[in-house]
Amino acid sequence: MKYPIIITIIIISFFSACNSSKKEITTETQAAADSSITLTEAQFKNAQITTINPEKKNISSVLKVNGKIDVPPQNLVSISMPLGGYLKTTHLLPGMPVKKGEVLAVLEDQQYIQLQEDYLTAKTKLVFAEKEATRQKELNLTKASSDKVYQTAEMEYKTLQINLSALAEKLKLININPASVSPTNISRSVSIYSPISGFVSKVNVNIGKYISPQDVMFELINTSDIHLNLTIFEKDIEKIKIGQKLIAYSNANPTIKYPCEIILISRDVTNDGSVEVHCHFEKYDHSLFPGMYMNAEIEIKNQASFVIPDDAIVSFEGKQYVFIDKGNRQYALTETEIGVGENGMTAINIHGQDNLQTLNMVQKGAYTLLMQLKNKPEE
C-alpha cells in the first residue's frame, strides 16, 4: 500500500524540479535579452557605429595635494644682541631687501665702554707680566730667586693671557675689532651687520628701546632657496619618490604653473595621518613668498591597464557599461569597472575577462545603442 504513495511523491518532485529549471532558464534568457540589442540594416546605417579593441598601456593619474612655501632653517635668521644695549639707529622696515654685511642697526651702552676698558687694562698688565716672568726666569736660573716666585710670575702671565683672549672674543661678539681698540679709540656704540642677503620679515624694536640679550630684534629671510612644503596623506606616500616632478600653483593665479621636484620625504607621520614632503622650485620666482599657500599636482604612473576612449563608456543608473560587438549587428551591454583616465582614455576591467584585447567594443554610437536598448518594447 505504501508503494503508490512513494511513486506519487517522486513524480511530483520531478515535475517541480523541471518547472524550476525552466523558470531559471527563462530568467537567464530574459536577462540576456534585456542586455542585448540587434539592429536592423537601416538602424545600423543611421547609428554610424564604429568599434575599437582595448589596448594595454601605462596610464597616469594625478594626485592633488596642497601645502605652503617655506625656507630651510639656515635661510631664516634671527638677529639679537648678545650683550644687550639701547637701540640708537635703524632704517629697517618689513619687506626691505638687505645685503650681506650691511649695517642693520647701531646700539650703544656703557658696558661696551667698560669692556674695551677691561681689554686695554688687561693688555697693559700682560706686557708687564710678560717682562716680570722673563726677569724671574733669569733670576731663577742663577738661583737668585726661588722657584715659588718664578712660578707665581709665570702663572700671573698666563692668567692675563687667558683674560685678554676672553675679552678679545667678547669684543668680537659685539662686532668690535680688538686690534682697533686703543686708549684714543674707545667707542660707546656698536653696529649690527646682516649675516645674509635677503629680505626683512620682522622688525621687533624701535629707537631708544633697551634690547635684552634674549630679544630678537629682526628676522631676515634668504628667499633664494625657498621650497614647497606639501602635506601628503599616509595612504599616498607609496605613490611618490624623491626626484619626482610636479606642478605647483597658487589660488590667486592658478594659470601660472611652477615646475618643482621632490627633494625630501619626511619619515614622521603626524597625528592626522600625513607626512611632510619638501620640493624644490626649478626656477625661483620673486613673486613667491614664504608662508604662501600653494596647490600641487603630482603625476602618478600606474601599472599597465586595458584602456578605451572615454566615449566608449556609457553610464546608466550609477553604473558604467560598454557595448561588445557580437557580430551580425548584435551588441551586448556589459558592465565594467573603470579606473584612472588620461588624455581621453580610461582604464577598464570586466569581471571574468582577462584579455580584453580580444573584445570588439563600440566607440561611436554607444549612447545611441543604450537609448534603443532601454526603449525597446517588451516582448
Side-chain angles (χ1 to χ4, degrees):
M1 295 296 292
K2 293 181 179 180
Y3 291 109
I5 296 175
I6 294 173
I7 294 173
T8 303
I9 293 173
I10 292 173
I11 293 173
I12 293 173
S13 300
F14 174 77
F15 281 107
S16 297
C18 289
N19 289 335
S20 177
S21 298
K22 287 181 180 179
K23 287 181 181 179
E24 289 179 2
I25 294 173
T26 303
T27 301
E28 291 176 359
T29 304
Q30 183 65 36
D34 291 341
S35 62
S36 299
I37 185 170
T38 302
L39 300 182
T40 64
E41 185 69 29
Q43 288 174 329
F44 178 76
K45 290 181 179 180
N46 290 333
Q48 299 181 345
I49 290 174
T50 61
T51 58
I52 190 173
N53 294 103
E55 57 179 317
K56 198 167 190 178
K57 61 183 296 187
N58 287 321
I59 190 168
S60 300
S61 61
V62 174
L63 178 63
K64 294 185 177 181
V65 295
N66 54 61
K68 66 178 181 178
I69 297 175
D70 204 351
V71 292
Q74 62 269 25
N75 285 21
L76 180 62
V77 180
S78 297
I79 306 296
S80 58
M81 184 58 182
L83 296 184
Y86 292 92
L87 182 62
K88 183 180 179 180
T89 60
T90 185
H91 65 284
L92 297 187
L93 291 172
M96 289 182 62
V98 293
K99 294 182 179 180
K100 185 176 181 179
E102 179 183 340
V103 175
L104 302 178
V106 176
L107 286 84
E108 60 182 13
D109 196 90
Q110 63 179 4
Q111 63 180 321
Y112 308 153
I113 301 173
Q114 185 64 51
L115 185 58
Q116 294 169 83
E117 179 186 347
D118 294 342
Y119 175 78
L120 291 174
T121 301
K123 189 175 182 181
T124 303
K125 288 181 178 180
L126 181 65
V127 174
F128 174 79
E130 183 180 11
K131 292 179 179 179
E132 179 64 16
T134 303
R135 189 174 70 88
Q136 292 297 332
K137 181 178 181 181
E138 293 174 353
L139 292 173
N140 183 257
L141 289 174
T142 61
K143 299 302 180 181
S145 173
S146 66
D147 291 343
K148 181 177 180 180
V149 173
Y150 166 63
Q151 290 170 357
T152 301
E154 184 73 13
M155 181 188 67
E156 181 69 19
Y157 171 62
K158 291 182 178 179
T159 300
L160 286 172
Q161 273 188 318
I162 296 171
N163 188 27
L164 187 67
S165 296
L167 290 170
E169 291 302 316
K170 287 183 178 180
L171 289 173
K172 293 177 183 178
L173 198 61
I174 58 174
N175 300 320
I176 294 179
N177 184 4
S180 66
V181 178
S182 67
T184 59
N185 185 28
I186 297 177
S187 176
R188 67 179 183 181
S189 61
V190 297
S191 298
I192 305 296
Y193 301 95
S194 176
I196 63 170
S197 295
F199 293 87
V200 180
S201 63
K202 291 183 181 180
V203 176
N204 302 319
V205 293
N206 54 268
I207 303 299
K209 182 178 180 179
Y210 181 78
I211 311 300
S212 299
Q214 67 270 19
D215 292 340
V216 176
M217 302 169 60
F218 314 104
E219 288 188 8
L220 309 180
I221 294 178
N222 179 3
T223 56
S224 62
D225 191 27
I226 62 173
H227 64 256
L228 181 60
N229 187 5
L230 297 175
T231 300
I232 296 183
F233 287 103
E234 184 180 2
K235 64 181 180 65
D236 296 322
I237 287 299
E238 62 180 14
K239 300 177 183 177
I240 63 174
K241 60 183 180 180
I242 294 176
Q244 197 167 356
K245 305 293 183 180
L246 58 100
I247 297 296
Y249 56 92
S250 65
N251 289 328
N253 296 301
T255 58
I256 302 178
K257 308 295 184 180
Y258 302 98
C260 302
E261 179 181 344
I262 296 176
I263 59 172
L264 181 65
I265 301 174
S266 173
R267 300 299 176 185
D268 183 25
V269 179
T270 61
N271 293 332
D272 62 354
S274 65
V275 299
E276 291 185 351
V277 175
H278 299 274
C279 312
H280 186 266
F281 288 92
E282 293 186 358
K283 186 178 180 181
Y284 171 61
D285 191 318
H286 290 280
S287 64
L288 299 177
F289 298 99
M292 288 180 61
Y293 285 91
M294 302 287 287
N295 301 306
E297 295 180 356
I298 307 174
E299 186 176 284
I300 307 298
K301 288 291 184 181
N302 294 314
Q303 296 180 347
S305 305
F306 288 106
V307 298
I308 58 174
D310 292 343
D311 54 359
I313 302 172
V314 294
S315 300
F316 182 73
E317 294 182 346
K319 297 181 179 181
Q320 312 300 319
Y321 299 90
V322 293
F323 277 98
I324 298 177
D325 187 352
K326 295 294 188 179
N328 296 324
R329 301 188 303 277
Q330 183 180 6
Y331 305 95
L333 182 67
T334 306
E335 185 177 351
T336 181
E337 297 175 357
I338 63 172
V340 296
E342 180 186 35
N343 299 325
M345 304 291 286
T346 299
I348 63 168
N349 177 47
I350 297 177
H351 183 69
Q353 293 285 345
D354 295 328
N355 190 5
L356 299 183
Q357 286 176 309
T358 59
L359 300 179
N360 202 20
M361 299 182 181
V362 174
Q363 180 181 358
K364 184 179 179 181
Y367 267 102
T368 301
L369 289 177
L370 180 64
M371 293 301 101
Q372 292 188 9
L373 175 64
K374 298 305 176 183
N375 294 322
K376 70 178 184 179
E378 296 183 0
E379 297 179 358

